Amino acid sequence: TMADFFAAAGYRCGQFGKWHLGDNYPYRPHDRGFHEAVYFASSHIGSCPDPWNNDYFDDTYWHDGVRQPFEGYTTDVFFREAIDWIRQRAEAKQPFFAYVPLNAPHGPLFVPDRYRGPVRERLTAALPDLPELDAATQASLVSYLAMIENIDENVGRLREALRAAGLEENTLLIFLTDNGSTFGPRYFNAGMRGSKTTIWEGGHRVPCFVRWPGGGLQHGTDVDELTQVQDLLPTLIELCDLKRLDGPAFDGTSLAGLLKGTADRLDDRMLVVQFSRMPFQNRRPVPNAASVPSIDGAAVLWKKWRLLDGKELYDVAADPAQERNIIADHPAGAGRMRT
């Protein structure tokens, strides 16, 4: 894991929030390089392994392998624990790697009610410019956006804590989301098509912000290259001068040159996005089940080209909404991507 690389270099490593990589030894965060971990089991709060009555408020989480009650709203708890841990690292003058993956704004859409009022007012004012939304969708959307409002507030707390501890200049801060929107197509999707678990651009394109004031990075710059989440570890290894541990080759590549402005572009890379879904309709695996990967349900990404299902080709620079299938005009490029 990323924590193994940082721990080997003398960093203290902390994880606060969603884990979803295994609930039992040897797959828990504190088995995998993290010195401190506050997390919940499985995929979301309220899942089967979760303590009974966990509902985002005053929940019981795992703390280094022991269940412990925590007071407060879930996102506030994970940021509070992370910030307190970072302050301790600052006082001890220890370099640190903090990983704060959130369950919000994942369903169920529970959030302190004080965030709903301001969001409801802004959404109501924007309704004339949005697609028609029924009352139930509006109510869910208010809660969803209110959860994001709370995240914004907590990111502000984190940044203020870094400033107060004298860590802002030399702390590399990365913010990204993990999949396409669940609500986007229903009210605003930034000109894209599709949502979470689809192979359209709106299903997998996400924002990623990188900030390191004292690290020699370019500032206020968009990196317009085909990048992926697997690029983060090679990037951090280079930026933080970590030792490359033995193990399998990386699927990602370092973005350090792009972030510093010393490299113009990445190699001529192709990426594959695929969602194989659990066969919920079946009690046991069957031939041709939905969980068996196939070319159907795969997207190949190359520069600004997107090949979907092996039979549709889109240029997302000229056609971000992916409305015009141009595969007949580019058989050679489509063939290379299909291969």
Side-chain angles (χ1 to χ4, degrees):
T1 68
M2 298 174 79
D4 290 318
F5 286 85
F6 280 96
Y11 286 68
R12 300 298 291 178
C13 301
Q15 187 266 343
F16 309 90
K18 181 173 182 171
W19 179 241
H20 203 189
L21 293 171
D23 301 337
N24 306 308
Y25 175 87
Y27 301 108
R28 302 164 301 179
H30 50 288
D31 304 320
R32 294 287 171 169
F34 288 97
H35 303 100
E36 182 98 0
V38 178
Y39 65 99
F40 56 89
S42 192
S43 60
H44 61 281
I45 292 175
S47 62
C48 288
D50 215 22
W52 185 255
N53 273 345
N54 265 12
D55 62 357
Y56 288 39
F57 296 89
D58 300 334
D59 288 344
T60 298
Y61 302 124
W62 290 100
H63 182 199
D64 298 340
V66 178
R67 279 180 168 171
Q68 177 181 330
F70 288 83
E71 183 178 341
Y73 178 61
T74 177
T75 305
D76 297 337
V77 168
F78 293 134
F79 271 97
R80 183 185 70 219
E81 294 299 312
I83 289 170
D84 287 347
W85 180 82
I86 288 170
R87 287 184 179 131
Q88 293 169 20
R89 306 286 72 75
E91 292 170 2
K93 300 188 183 306
Q94 296 172 326
F96 64 89
F97 168 60
Y99 173 49
V100 190
L102 306 174
N103 52 299
H106 195 289
L109 303 179
F110 299 155
V111 64
D113 199 48
R114 67 180 181 275
Y115 292 98
R116 289 193 177 95
V119 168
R120 187 178 291 110
E121 289 181 11
R122 295 200 299 272
L123 180 62
T124 300
L127 284 177
D129 301 319
L130 299 177
E132 185 174 348
L133 302 173
D134 60 48
T137 301
Q138 286 186 43
S140 295
L141 183 55
V142 165
S143 294
Y144 176 78
L145 296 175
M147 296 173 88
I148 296 173
E149 187 103 335
N150 171 262
I151 294 171
D152 288 346
E153 185 179 275
N154 275 290
V155 171
R157 289 194 184 109
L158 173 62
R159 291 188 58 191
E160 179 55 38
L162 292 174
R163 280 192 290 269
L167 298 174
E168 182 180 34
E169 286 295 309
N170 199 32
T171 297
L172 200 164
L173 179 63
I174 300 176
F175 179 95
L176 73 159
T177 64
D178 64 344
N179 49 246
S181 177
T182 53
F183 267 98
R186 284 182 271 180
Y187 80 108
F188 175 76
N189 216 30
M192 297 181 293
R193 180 175 178 180
S195 60
K196 177 181 176 179
T197 72
T198 69
I199 58 176
W200 303 104
E201 197 77 354
H204 54 78
R205 184 171 181 172
V206 298
C208 178
F209 298 92
V210 181
R211 187 176 192 273
W212 189 13
L217 307 185
Q218 298 185 88
H219 297 290
T221 302
D222 289 338
V223 175
D224 191 23
E225 289 285 326
L226 184 59
T227 59
Q228 61 172 339
V229 68
Q230 286 90 349
D231 296 334
L232 289 181
L233 179 54
T235 301
L236 291 174
I237 288 175
E238 183 173 352
L239 291 177
C240 300
D241 196 24
L242 306 182
K243 181 182 177 181
R244 171 70 168 90
L245 303 180
D246 293 335
F250 290 135
D251 290 323
T253 188
S254 175
L255 308 178
L258 289 172
L259 295 174
K260 290 185 174 183
T262 59
D264 294 330
R265 58 184 304 277
L266 296 175
D267 292 333
D268 191 23
R269 72 188 328 194
M270 286 191 191
L271 305 177
V272 176
V273 173
Q274 183 160 32
F275 298 103
S276 69
R277 305 303 292 169
M278 304 273 293
F280 295 115
Q281 70 273 25
N282 299 312
R283 293 291 182 185
R284 57 188 180 274
V286 296
N288 303 317
S291 60
V292 178
S294 69
I295 195 171
D296 298 326
V300 180
L301 289 59
W302 178 34
K303 300 178 181 178
K304 301 301 180 182
W305 305 98
R306 304 292 184 266
L307 180 71
L308 308 186
D309 293 333
K311 58 191 177 186
E312 299 178 18
L313 183 69
Y314 299 92
D315 175 359
V316 293
D319 177 27
Q322 295 172 284
E323 296 174 330
R324 299 185 296 279
N325 179 9
I326 55 174
I327 195 167
D329 300 328
H330 302 277
R336 179 180 171 187
M337 296 173 78
R338 189 182 294 111
T339 301

